[in-house]
Amino acid sequence: MQAPVVHDEKTCQVREILDRVGDKWSLAVVNELGNGTLRFTELKRAIGGVSQRMLTATLRNLERDGLVLRTVHPVIPPRVDYELSDLGRTFLQTAWSLMNWANDHAADIIAARARYDT
Amino acid sequence: MQAPVVHDEKTCQVREILDRVGDKWSLAVVNELGNGTLRFTELKRAIGGVSQRMLTATLRNLERDGLVLRTVHPVIPPRVDYELSDLGRTFLQTAWSLMNWANDHAADIIAARARYDT
DNA sequence: CCGTATCCATTTCGATACTG
DNA sequence: CAGTATCGAAATGGATACGG
């Protein structure tokens, strides 16, 4: 007799991954790094509206998940480069199609909300 | 002279949309409804691991955003059907490619995390 | 059956101050 | 420059109870 499996293990993993890499700032970071290597401050400015705290946390997670490579140059002042890993680049196409979808249908969605709120 | 625009309006909208439709339960719902119409309880069972509260909230948001159609049948006991709208179906391909990516690279990511945590 | 309402613990996140 | 540390407000989400 087996203890009941409440929900599929793999499915749960996939959901957790989607929640991480699919979040607002992760997508923004991957998008920016899709154009090439950037430093912390360049990323922050390029994305816009992200706090230092959130950008740091997002980059740490992406690095931990193997999507982003972090290179520290031992100079003063410090210089840290961020770039997509091979794994990160496999995500680019998907990320872009997601962002394109949102961009293409933003007006529809805003309109749908206005209708619903009436 | 113009007040400085902190961050692009449209970009911000797109991010907000991505955060909504790209979240864990929204993707799960869209995925399930991709196979056809389902009732509330069927959805809940099909997804697994989602609380009634979260499923309700997720469905409301998707309905409000115009991705999901909700049909109430005035019978006792109540019967409510959920299905994708045309807009919702335009999202299916993207959602699936996202889920496939996560599924295909889950092992890589888990491995990367294990390496990082050492 | 399909919700809503309430409570409560946990998490999230911006702001701020500080460091090598 | 590129962070870390800390604080407090706000949002999130599970559990539970209740209603049409």
Side-chain angles (χ1 to χ4, degrees):
Chain A
M1 191 56 154
Q2 181 102 2
V5 175
V6 176
H7 48 276
D8 182 72
E9 187 89 15
K10 179 64 183 286
T11 303
C12 197
Q13 272 184 7
V14 168
R15 270 181 208 153
E16 193 266 342
I17 288 170
L18 285 174
D19 232 27
R20 278 232 165 289
V21 304
D23 93 290
K24 196 166 51 164
W25 300 128
S26 293
L27 285 171
V29 165
V30 168
N31 182 41
E32 292 301 332
L33 294 184
N35 301 324
T37 301
L38 287 175
R39 300 176 60 172
F40 185 85
T41 309
E42 290 171 336
L43 253 179
K44 187 165 177 348
R45 187 179 46 238
I47 291 175
V50 63
S51 68
Q52 192 167 28
R53 190 190 198 291
M54 286 311 294
L55 183 55
T56 302
T58 301
L59 285 167
R60 284 293 173 283
N61 282 326
L62 289 173
E63 188 195 359
R64 185 167 106 98
D65 288 357
L67 301 200
V68 161
L69 265 26
R70 179 171 179 268
T71 311
V72 180
H73 301 279
V75 296
I76 291 176
R79 177 192 180 100
V80 181
D81 285 337
Y82 291 95
E83 61 186 317
L84 291 182
S85 67
D86 288 343
L87 180 57
R89 267 185 296 274
T90 70
F91 183 56
L92 248 192
Q93 293 309 313
T94 301
W96 276 342
S97 94
L98 189 63
M99 288 184 282
N100 281 331
W101 181 89
N103 190 67
D104 293 347
H105 297 87
D108 291 346
I109 291 173
I110 303 296
R113 285 180 190 173
R115 246 178 288 119
Y116 185 90
D117 292 344
T118 315
Chain B
M1 193 56 153
Q2 181 98 7
V5 175
V6 176
H7 49 276
D8 184 71
E9 186 89 15
K10 179 65 184 285
T11 302
C12 198
Q13 273 183 5
V14 167
R15 271 181 206 152
E16 192 266 342
I17 288 170
L18 286 174
D19 233 26
R20 279 233 164 287
V21 305
D23 92 289
K24 200 167 46 165
W25 300 128
S26 293
L27 285 172
V29 165
V30 169
N31 183 41
E32 292 300 333
L33 294 185
N35 302 323
T37 301
L38 288 174
R39 301 177 59 173
F40 185 86
T41 310
E42 292 171 336
L43 252 180
K44 187 165 176 349
R45 188 178 46 240
I47 291 175
V50 64
S51 68
Q52 193 167 25
R53 191 192 197 299
M54 285 312 294
L55 183 55
T56 302
T58 301
L59 285 168
R60 283 294 173 281
N61 282 326
L62 289 173
E63 188 196 358
R64 185 167 107 98
D65 288 357
L67 301 199
V68 161
L69 265 25
R70 180 171 179 266
T71 311
V72 181
H73 301 278
V75 296
I76 293 177
R79 175 190 182 104
V80 181
D81 286 337
Y82 292 96
E83 61 185 318
L84 291 181
S85 66
D86 289 344
L87 180 57
R89 268 186 295 275
T90 69
F91 184 57
L92 248 192
Q93 294 309 314
T94 302
W96 277 342
S97 97
L98 190 62
M99 288 184 282
N100 281 331
W101 182 88
N103 190 66
D104 292 347
H105 297 88
D108 292 345
I109 291 173
I110 303 296
R113 284 180 190 173
R115 246 179 288 118
Y116 185 91
D117 293 343
T118 314

